[in-house]
């Protein structure tokens, strides 16, 4: 049991720096918070957490190793991710000004009617279509977790990391939907879309230059 706790502590220490660093996930949750409100952002955060379990699952089952050894499979995942990031970036750049409600109990973009399924899908796709996650989880699981660790324990590690990721982004969602933050960003919604759009496109272009290790 103590060996498993040491493995989990080591995984979480590495994972902490990964989740707090700026990236497509953070940009997605921030935009959801400001444009569509707290509910949509939290659901998107849940989608991101669920996609983490997707990465953990195929890593534990050995598919991550197959992808890491196949340039063809890597490129399929990479270009899907590039296309998705650029698509949502262009869509954000073309968006008009959004009225963001100041009341904390109201969803900012309720008038747009973003469904829970769409909000979840945005978060899931943003993380699932990131090929760097393949190598991230493959590398930390192969270096930190023993080959003799039971599969059920490895999935338990994944659940803990997914919970931490979800908690982090829910915190971001709650902070970005406080009355003061909403009031500050109401007049700047068009620039929020333009900035987040450029961030998504830049992340897509950066991803396009990534090569299989």
């Amino acid at each position: 049991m103590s060996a498993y706790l040491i493995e989990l502590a080591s995984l979480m220490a590495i994972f902490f720096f990964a989740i707090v660093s700026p990236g497509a996930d953070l940009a997605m949750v921030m935009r959801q918070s400001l444009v569509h409100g707290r509910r949509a952002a939290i659901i998107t955060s849940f989608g991101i957490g669920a996609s983490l379990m997707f990465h953990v699952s195929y890593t534990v089952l050995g598919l991550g190793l197959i992808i890491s050894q196949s340039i063809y499979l890597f490129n399929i995942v990479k270009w899907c991710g590039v296309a998705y990031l650029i698509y949502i970036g262009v869509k954000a750049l073309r968006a008009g000004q959004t009225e963001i409600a100041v009341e904390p109990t109201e969803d900012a973009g309720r008038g747009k009617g973003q469904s829970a399924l769409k909000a979840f899908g945005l978060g899931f796709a943003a993380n699932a279509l990131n090929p760097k996650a393949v190598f991230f989880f493959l590398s930390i699981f192969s270096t930190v977790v023993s080959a003799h660790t039971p599969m059920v324990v490895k999935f338990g590690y994944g659940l803990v990391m997914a919970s931490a990721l979800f908690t982090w982004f829910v915190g971001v969602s709650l902070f970005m939907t406080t009355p003061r933050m909403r009031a500050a960003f109401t007049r700047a919604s068009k620039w929020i879309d333009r900035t987040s759009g450029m961030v998504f496109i830049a992340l897509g272009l950066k991803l396009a230059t990534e090569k299989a290790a």
Side-chain angles (χ1 to χ4, degrees), residues 62-206:
L63 297 181
L65 180 60
I66 296 174
I67 295 176
S68 70
Q69 299 299 318
S70 172
I71 295 178
Y72 177 72
L73 290 177
F74 172 84
N75 284 330
I76 290 177
V77 177
K78 182 181 79 171
W79 290 109
C80 285
V82 169
Y84 177 74
L85 287 171
I86 292 179
Y87 166 75
I88 61 176
V90 171
K91 189 174 181 180
L93 286 175
R94 296 177 62 185
Q97 184 170 345
T98 303
E99 292 296 328
I100 302 176
V102 177
E103 292 299 323
T105 57
E106 298 293 330
D107 280 342
R110 188 173 58 181
K112 291 188 175 183
Q114 186 180 61
S115 66
L117 181 61
K118 182 176 181 180
F120 178 89
L122 285 172
F124 188 92
N127 191 279
L129 292 176
N130 184 357
K132 291 192 292 184
V134 177
F135 303 101
F136 174 77
F137 287 106
L138 178 62
S139 62
I140 64 172
F141 268 81
S142 61
T143 57
V144 176
V145 180
S146 170
H148 302 291
T149 299
M151 186 175 295
V152 65
V153 176
K154 293 179 180 179
F155 276 110
Y157 295 160
L159 285 174
V160 173
M161 289 190 289
S163 299
L165 185 67
F166 174 69
T167 301
W168 163 251
F169 283 123
V170 166
V172 173
S173 303
L174 295 177
F175 173 74
M176 296 303 291
T177 51
T178 58
R180 179 175 297 182
M181 291 299 297
R182 288 191 182 186
F185 280 95
T186 296
R187 295 183 298 272
S189 61
K190 183 182 294 185
W191 293 104
I192 293 168
D193 277 319
R194 290 179 178 176
T195 301
S196 61
M198 289 187 290
V199 169
F200 287 132
I201 291 174
L203 289 170
L205 295 176
K206 182 177 183 298

Side-chain angles (χ1 to χ4, degrees), residues 7-69:
E7 285 183 347
L8 179 59
S10 300
L11 284 173
M12 293 306 297
I14 299 171
F15 189 60
F16 171 78
F17 292 101
I19 64 175
V20 300
S21 61
D25 294 347
L26 180 62
M28 175 67 71
V29 172
M30 290 182 66
R31 183 176 185 276
Q32 286 289 89
S33 299
L34 296 169
V35 176
H36 296 289
R38 181 175 297 176
R39 174 180 173 274
I42 291 176
I43 295 174
T44 298
S45 301
F46 186 76
I48 294 173
S51 66
L52 184 147
M53 285 306 300
F54 165 71
H55 289 302
V56 169
S57 296
Y58 66 65
T59 298
V60 171
L61 294 174
L63 297 181
L65 180 60
I66 296 174
I67 295 176
S68 70
Q69 299 299 318

